[in-house]
Amino acid sequence: MSAPVYDRVALIGLGLIASSMFWAMKRAGLAGEVTGYARSAETRATAREIGLCDRVCETAAEAVEGADLVVLCVPVGAMGAVAEQIAPHLKPGSTVSDVGSVKQAVIDAVGPHLPETVHFVPSHPLAGTEHSGPRSGFATLFDNRFTLLVPVEGTDPEATARLRALWEGMGANVEEMDAEHHDLVLAVTSHAPHLIAYTMVGVADDLRRVTDSEVIRYSAAGFRDFTRIAASDPTMWRDVFLNNKAATLEILGRFTEELFALQRAIRTGDGDQLFDYFTRTRAIRRGIIEAGQDTDAPDFGRVLP
Amino acid sequence: MSAPVYDRVALIGLGLIASSMFWAMKRAGLAGEVTGYARSAETRATAREIGLCDRVCETAAEAVEGADLVVLCVPVGAMGAVAEQIAPHLKPGSTVSDVGSVKQAVIDAVGPHLPETVHFVPSHPLAGTEHSGPRSGFATLFDNRFTLLVPVEGTDPEATARLRALWEGMGANVEEMDAEHHDLVLAVTSHAPHLIAYTMVGVADDLRRVTDSEVIRYSAAGFRDFTRIAASDPTMWRDVFLNNKAATLEILGRFTEELFALQRAIRTGDGDQLFDYFTRTRAIRRGIIEAGQDTDAPDFGRVLP
Ligand SMILES: NC(=O)c1ccc[n+]([C@@H]2O[C@H](COP(=O)([O-])OP(=O)(O)OC[C@H]3O[C@@H](n4cnc5c(N)ncnc54)[C@H](OP(=O)(O)O)[C@@H]3O)[C@@H](O)[C@H]2O)c1
Ligand SMILES: NC(=O)c1ccc[n+]([C@@H]2O[C@H](COP(=O)([O-])OP(=O)(O)OC[C@H]3O[C@@H](n4cnc5c(N)ncnc54)[C@H](OP(=O)(O)O)[C@@H]3O)[C@@H](O)[C@H]2O)c1
């Protein structure tokens, strides 16, 4: 247990990411006091019930009062309005961060509201599950996963270094990159895969009306993995796509091109092309396992009922 | 431990499915003696080393000699040639089955070679992992998963019932359906999802050359799940697509249509359409969990290094 990185931290929005941050900060004693706020009375009541945050506040203004670090943990599309609301109450010299899955749009939405006296250091933890809400967080979520910091031009390096120390204290490997590159990399590794999974599950759902529950009963042959991803929060994902349009559409364009090439190979019976393609993609899996970013246990080591 | 369902079982091809069948049959004492054959000396040596099969034979003919059940466990595209090879050596009154992931094409390829004196009862266990080869099997693979039997017209119901008893003894829930329907359901629940996963990983692999190892390091945000599916055996999957062309292309056609509709919603900023779509697909996940076909543990309960 080292000295706290921040005396006072405020979490705005109390869902999966905020609650995981709270438990991870507590685990390592990274913050003196953590305040929290969520817009619904229900979430605030749940937070109080499960001991999420040292103090749950009735307004965002109250939560950020005197905080050294404020982290916005709401959907990407709500960041601007929340920033506007808290701006007059921010402590001079404090740092504002966010955990949004898109960075350029959040910077554009939040930045203009913030007073010159605060530091703005956007972040994005590359960790999550398909569950959401205040009960879904856990202290180990960020362990050995990456968190990307996306400091805006002219940010005080001190402020960035301190936020880095917090994320490292929560278990994360921290990297810095610029917003545009972030949004492209995430379009490949997260946003396009999610849209594709949602689409495939939607197609199966249409067909389910024809074939009753067969797509459910016979899902173990690959499809069920898509349904986990497509069970993620609809608001969060709507906001991601609306706020990372260009990069997501670019990657989906490339995807469609390749898919058409493989469809043509199937149609013409070009087994060699299929075989070569399927061989090439294997290497990337090995890389991910070697990098410690996934388990090598068959079928993710999942235990079924 | 009940009486064996078959006195003598022969497994042709000794990979993931055959080895899992062997261990599952042993676990429940379902077969008197199990013989095995694989085309490569290396696989036969591995099988002998790990005790896979009571007797590993040097030829397929020798393995099927006197067997009451012969199960073809080779890639779909190899089924016909294997059937031709073993046909003269099959015991009259015995049953031939296969475990291929496509059914109509296998029936067309295998059926004509079999003598009238044997029963042909195709099957397909909806269970697997991304690993392959003789060392990858385990006794519990089929537990509580579905196995589909696809009896051809005029099959002796006795023969089908006995094969059903074997699969049930190996832990599976058994259902019957016709080949055409099987191939369509599997195109939705398995074949199209696999091609889509291969494609997405291929796109990322292209981009990897630009962005170094970023798609690997930052894969935890969704992409890594696709890489597991896309790490499956290239020969197996080449054969699946070449042998279930029509149904796979039909489902991919629907998929592309829906994907274009969602891309348009992103482009035009139609958040309601996205939100509604993402809400609808959640229900199917709940159905799969309630049906006992996947775990509700966050992130499949996977344990990371
Ligand atoms: N889930 C992931 O895998 C993941 C990973 C990395 C980053 N992120 C990012 O982290 C952020 C939070 O995600 P999460 O998974 O923690 O979400 P979550 O569990 O769904 O929680 C969202 C929180 O935001 C609040 N909220 C929702 N809409 C709001 C609005 N219009 N105005 C004000 N507050 C609002 C909710 O309040 P109520 O509870 O009162 O409704 C809730 O407390 C998002 O920006 C997301 O992109 C998510
Ligand atoms: N993996 C799954 O998830 C899964 C699930 C359900 C059904 N299936 C079906 O089950 C069957 C076997 O799959 P698997 O996963 O067990 O495969 P696997 O682990 O790759 O093993 C394949 C076996 O077939 C042999 N083989 C390959 N090509 C051959 C050829 N041209 N002629 C003769 N033998 C050949 C191999 O022999 P060598 O070892 O000597 O090379 C090996 O013993 C396939 O039809 C597949 O569609 C697979």
Side-chain angles (χ1 to χ4, degrees), chain A residues 14-17 39-40 43 73-76 78 99-101 125 127-128 132-133 236:
Chain A
L14 295 173
L16 169 69
I17 300 298
R39 62 175 174 171
S40 73
T43 297
C73 306
V74 299
V76 164
V99 295
S101 305
S132 54
M236 167 183 163

Side-chain angles (χ1 to χ4, degrees), chain A residues 30-278:
Chain A
L30 301 169
E33 188 197 31
V34 180
T35 57
Y37 167 77
R39 62 175 174 171
S40 73
E42 190 189 339
T43 297
R44 296 196 298 273
T46 302
R48 289 191 184 104
E49 180 198 329
I50 65 175
L52 169 60
C53 293
D54 299 315
R55 191 154 50 85
V56 177
C57 303
E58 285 303 301
T59 65
E62 191 189 334
V64 307
E65 203 81 55
D68 304 294
L69 172 69
V70 175
V71 189
L72 310 183
C73 306
V74 299
V76 164
M79 296 280 183
V82 170
E84 187 174 13
Q85 215 181 319
I86 61 169
H89 309 279
L90 294 169
K91 173 170 145 180
S94 68
T95 294
V96 171
S97 185
D98 75 287
V99 295
S101 305
V102 177
K103 295 274 62 96
Q104 191 57 59
V106 169
I107 291 169
D108 293 345
V110 169
H113 295 296
L114 301 182
E116 295 243 323
T117 54
V118 308
H119 310 289
F120 180 32
V121 189
S123 70
H124 181 200
L126 305 186
T129 76
E130 69 277 25
H131 296 180
S132 54
R135 294 184 195 273
S136 58
F138 49 97
T140 57
L141 180 64
F142 310 114
D143 283 351
N144 204 28
R145 303 279 76 76
F146 286 92
T147 290
L148 303 177
L149 297 186
V150 183
V152 292
E153 275 241 341
T155 301
D156 178 14
E158 278 292 297
T160 305
R162 208 158 153 206
L163 189 65
R164 171 189 281 267
L166 181 78
W167 278 108
E168 288 175 348
M170 291 192 289
N173 306 323
V174 178
E175 301 281 353
E176 288 181 33
M177 60 173 67
D178 67 48
E180 192 188 346
H181 191 62
H182 169 278
D183 290 355
L184 179 64
V185 170
L186 267 289
V188 183
T189 56
S190 182
H191 306 170
H194 271 80
L195 196 76
I196 286 163
Y198 275 118
T199 307
M200 187 62 231
V201 177
V203 170
D205 189 47
D206 285 345
L207 222 84
R208 183 167 64 136
R209 286 178 203 126
V210 184
T211 60
D212 196 80
S213 65
E214 288 178 324
V215 297
I216 286 179
R217 307 180 75 198
Y218 307 140
S219 62
F223 175 65
R224 65 180 175 186
D225 286 21
F226 284 61
T227 67
R228 185 189 76 80
I229 291 183
S232 301
D233 186 64
T235 304
M236 167 183 163
W237 284 99
R238 176 200 63 197
D239 283 8
V240 166
F241 296 120
L242 294 182
N243 288 284
N244 196 19
K245 275 188 200 188
T248 304
L249 291 174
E250 186 196 324
I251 301 303
L252 290 173
R254 291 196 194 206
F255 170 84
T256 313
E257 223 173 80
E258 299 261 321
L259 185 62
F260 284 167
L262 291 176
Q263 277 179 257
R264 151 100 72 59
I266 293 175
R267 201 182 301 278
T268 62
D270 187 343
D272 290 343
Q273 191 188 338
L274 296 173
F275 183 86
D276 291 347
Y277 202 93
F278 301 163

Side-chain angles (χ1 to χ4, degrees), chain A residues 130 145 175 181 189-190 205 207 214 217 221 223-225 228 231 280 293 299-300 302 304, chain B residues 130 145 175 181 189-190 205 214 217 221 223-225 227-228 254 280 282 293 299-300 302 304:
Chain A
E130 69 277 25
R145 303 279 76 76
E175 301 281 353
H181 191 62
T189 56
S190 182
D205 189 47
L207 222 84
E214 288 178 324
R217 307 180 75 198
F223 175 65
R224 65 180 175 186
D225 286 21
R228 185 189 76 80
R280 178 161 77 81
Q293 296 303 309
D299 210 16
F300 301 125
R302 92 183 100 192
L304 290 172
Chain B
E130 69 277 25
R145 304 278 77 77
E175 301 281 353
H181 190 62
T189 57
S190 183
D205 190 47
E214 288 178 325
R217 306 179 76 197
F223 175 65
R224 66 178 173 186
D225 287 22
T227 66
R228 186 189 73 80
R254 291 195 192 207
R280 178 161 78 82
R282 269 189 147 173
Q293 295 304 309
D299 210 16
F300 301 125
R302 90 184 103 193
L304 291 173

